[in-house]
Amino acid sequence: ANLARVTTGDQLHGTLRPYQETGVRWLHLLSTLGLGACLADDMGLGKTMQVIALMLVLRNTGYLRGPSLVVAPASLLRNWTAELERFAPTVNAIIAHPSAMSGSELRRLDLEPLKGVDLVITSYGTLVRVPELVKIPWDLAILDEAQAIKNPVAKQSRAVKQLQTRQRIALTGTPVENRLGDLWSIFDF
């Protein structure tokens, strides 16, 4: 029953490919079971689109009630906002990064200023430098380019593993290129 068709309603401005629909159903099943997920598709196969679709499904079912978090390399922050604007303009997202807000604004982020925000997009480096982000209870935490935490003792690996969240999803395009220890660190998240 949980693998039955799930719907984004009319909020997704795009069409998922059949394998992406399967991915969204799989991610939804894991979410409803309270399990984390690692979506390991090659680059260009639409991992971001699948996560955006999942967020819409979870929002429509009432699973997402507060803000969610995307942690990505700084070079991908604008890509996330562009994808959201294109495919899910109803998702209210902000970038929590020094390029988008001042240090004092970053340090003041907590649930009160995030009321009405669906998604906070930040970088691995910002997460390390702004510990206030780690203390916020997120509904969903998504790591993009999760191979960034392959070293389990690195500061950014330790920071993301401290996130308080109901659900965790790791996205990586290089699963086969990683050593077993690298994969362990991603799954430990």
Side-chain angles (χ1 to χ4, degrees), residues 48-108:
T48 304
M49 176 74 128
Q50 289 175 68
V51 169
I52 290 170
L54 173 69
M55 287 183 60
L56 293 173
V57 170
L58 293 175
R59 189 171 73 175
N60 290 343
T61 61
Y63 182 87
L64 296 180
R65 295 182 298 274
S68 293
L69 178 71
V70 167
V71 184
S75 61
L76 295 180
L77 301 182
R78 296 283 177 213
N79 181 64
W80 271 92
T81 57
E83 294 283 299
L84 287 164
E85 288 168 6
R86 180 176 176 196
F87 296 116
T90 62
V91 173
N92 183 16
I94 64 166
I95 294 179
H97 186 266
S99 66
M101 60 177 59
S102 71
S104 61
E105 288 174 307
L106 283 168
R107 285 185 168 64
R108 282 195 307 268

Side-chain angles (χ1 to χ4, degrees), residues 21-141:
E21 288 180 5
T22 301
V24 172
R25 287 196 307 272
W26 177 73
L27 290 169
H28 182 261
L29 171 66
L30 293 177
S31 297
T32 60
L33 294 174
L35 300 173
C38 179
L39 183 57
D41 283 343
D42 285 332
M43 191 170 85
L45 292 180
K47 295 182 291 292
T48 304
M49 176 74 128
Q50 289 175 68
V51 169
I52 290 170
L54 173 69
M55 287 183 60
L56 293 173
V57 170
L58 293 175
R59 189 171 73 175
N60 290 343
T61 61
Y63 182 87
L64 296 180
R65 295 182 298 274
S68 293
L69 178 71
V70 167
V71 184
S75 61
L76 295 180
L77 301 182
R78 296 283 177 213
N79 181 64
W80 271 92
T81 57
E83 294 283 299
L84 287 164
E85 288 168 6
R86 180 176 176 196
F87 296 116
T90 62
V91 173
N92 183 16
I94 64 166
I95 294 179
H97 186 266
S99 66
M101 60 177 59
S102 71
S104 61
E105 288 174 307
L106 283 168
R107 285 185 168 64
R108 282 195 307 268
L109 285 178
D110 61 30
L111 287 180
E112 188 60 34
L114 294 177
K115 281 189 177 176
V117 173
D118 299 309
L119 185 63
V120 174
I121 305 164
T122 195
S123 69
Y124 289 98
T126 302
L127 193 65
V128 170
R129 288 187 300 278
V130 184
E132 290 81 0
L133 292 171
V134 174
K135 297 173 186 168
I136 296 171
W138 305 101
D139 276 355
L140 178 62

Side-chain angles (χ1 to χ4, degrees), residues 17 32-33 53 63 72 78 91 100 127 142 145 153 165 176 184:
R17 296 181 182 117
T32 60
L33 294 174
Y63 182 87
R78 296 283 177 213
V91 173
L127 193 65
I142 302 132
E145 301 293 342
V153 297
T165 181
V176 178
W184 175 87

